[in-house]
Amino acid sequence: MRTLFKIGLVSAAVALAGCQEQAKTEQVKADAAPAATESQQWANEDQKTAYALGASFAANLAQSFDQLKELDIVIDNATVLEGIKAGLEGNSKMTEEQLAETLQAFDARIAKVAQEKEAAEAQTAKAEGEAFLAENAKKEGVKVTESGLQYKVLTEGDGTKPAATDTVEVHYRGTLIDGTEFDSSYKRGESISFPLNGVIKGWTEGLQLMNVGSKYELYIPSELAYGERGAGASIPGNAALVFEVELLGIPSQEKQDIGLEEH
């Protein structure tokens, strides 16, 4: 799983509030006591608002702290609450300069640990992808091109083939090698059109093998996909990918056929 954590998010959240433990305590009390009316819970609207602010800050912090646990960084809730109480009362043990230095150092620490974790995950993904492709190449019906792209014909169409400069219309489903789906035009309920020379290399090459009406399964090495950088939250660096692709049409060729090509 790729680590996604915006540097500075936790520092900003800690600087704002940290009522997680207090919120838990209030919830325990609420569970133990009979339900109270709103007028019994809050003396006035300001008190209600104050509680809502604390609970909201706590929820944000809890989410941030859970992300930090993925980096093996554990934040002590009690100490966070101590810092907030002192800050609100004007009795902080740290000067503003010390606070800034500490939080900047924390951001740097998060960045370093996150980079190390992502590098380790990318290395693992590369080894797993290579092993998967080596075994997959032995399967019946799987063909391998000179570039290392693998494909299997699910349905062979009888239409024309696109060139790299064409715009194609497709339906597709993309997964990681473990079957985890990260994208699907089928689920969105609509096909997609794009210039074939504007996508990953594995698609540019693979779609040119297909006739309109064909449905292929493409097995794409990381170097023909998103490489070391990966893509978004779903595709880690060095990941090999699997796509089920259906070539529905070639809009650019269709325009030319009826004399509507652009000049």
Side-chain angles (χ1 to χ4, degrees):
M1 179 180 178
R2 194 177 189 209
T3 302
L4 288 180
F5 194 87
K6 291 184 179 179
I7 306 306
L9 176 60
V10 170
S11 296
V14 169
L16 286 172
C19 303
Q20 182 182 18
E21 200 64 38
Q22 183 177 1
K24 288 182 179 179
T25 301
E26 293 293 340
Q27 185 60 51
V28 170
K29 290 179 180 178
D31 291 343
T37 64
E38 191 167 285
S39 61
Q40 290 173 321
Q41 288 180 324
W42 320 116
N44 51 49
E45 191 66 20
D46 287 345
Q47 186 185 72
K48 179 181 176 182
T49 300
Y51 185 90
L53 285 170
S56 177
F57 288 149
N60 289 333
L61 277 179
Q63 184 177 12
S64 296
F65 291 173
D66 284 343
Q67 289 178 307
L68 283 175
K69 287 177 183 177
E70 295 181 11
L71 302 178
D72 297 323
I73 297 175
V74 179
I75 302 298
D76 180 66
N77 293 335
T79 306
V80 170
L81 288 169
E82 179 186 347
I84 293 169
K85 184 175 184 296
L88 289 173
E89 295 174 350
N91 297 320
S92 176
K93 296 178 182 178
M94 291 183 174
T95 64
E96 289 188 8
E97 290 78 12
Q98 290 173 324
L99 285 171
E101 289 175 1
T102 300
L103 294 179
Q104 287 170 5
F106 185 43
D107 283 349
R109 178 186 172 197
I110 292 172
K112 182 175 183 294
V113 174
Q115 289 170 358
E116 291 173 349
K117 184 177 179 66
E118 288 188 6
E121 289 175 347
Q123 187 173 5
T124 298
K126 185 172 182 61
E128 291 176 346
E130 290 174 348
F132 168 82
L133 292 169
E135 287 301 312
N136 193 64
K138 302 174 185 177
K139 294 181 179 179
E140 183 178 355
V142 175
K143 299 179 181 179
V144 185
T145 70
E146 186 176 345
S147 70
L149 174 70
Q150 298 181 8
Y151 68 96
K152 181 178 181 181
V153 178
L154 303 179
T155 302
E156 191 67 272
D158 56 6
T160 58
K161 289 183 178 180
T165 53
D166 277 322
T167 294
V168 295
E169 180 186 0
V170 304
H171 257 314
Y172 69 94
R173 175 177 178 266
T175 69
L176 302 179
I177 59 174
D178 65 1
T180 300
E181 183 177 286
F182 56 80
D183 197 9
S184 172
S185 66
Y186 293 106
K187 282 191 174 179
R188 290 194 298 274
E190 58 182 1
S191 60
I192 183 172
S193 297
F194 51 82
L196 196 50
N197 58 8
V199 290
I200 58 175
K201 293 178 181 178
W203 270 60
T204 302
E205 179 182 356
L207 268 292
Q208 290 183 82
L209 301 172
M210 301 173 64
N211 301 86
V212 172
S214 296
K215 191 173 187 179
Y216 281 21
E217 196 159 59
L218 304 178
Y219 313 94
I220 304 179
S222 63
E223 58 269 22
L224 299 180
Y226 295 98
E228 295 181 355
R229 72 183 187 281
S234 304
I235 303 175
N238 289 333
L241 304 177
V242 179
F243 284 97
E244 182 182 293
V245 184
E246 184 178 359
L247 181 56
L248 303 176
I250 309 173
S252 56
Q253 290 185 6
E254 292 167 6
K255 282 185 178 182
Q256 292 173 8
D257 289 343
I258 61 174
L260 295 178
E261 68 271 17
E262 297 179 357
H263 296 285

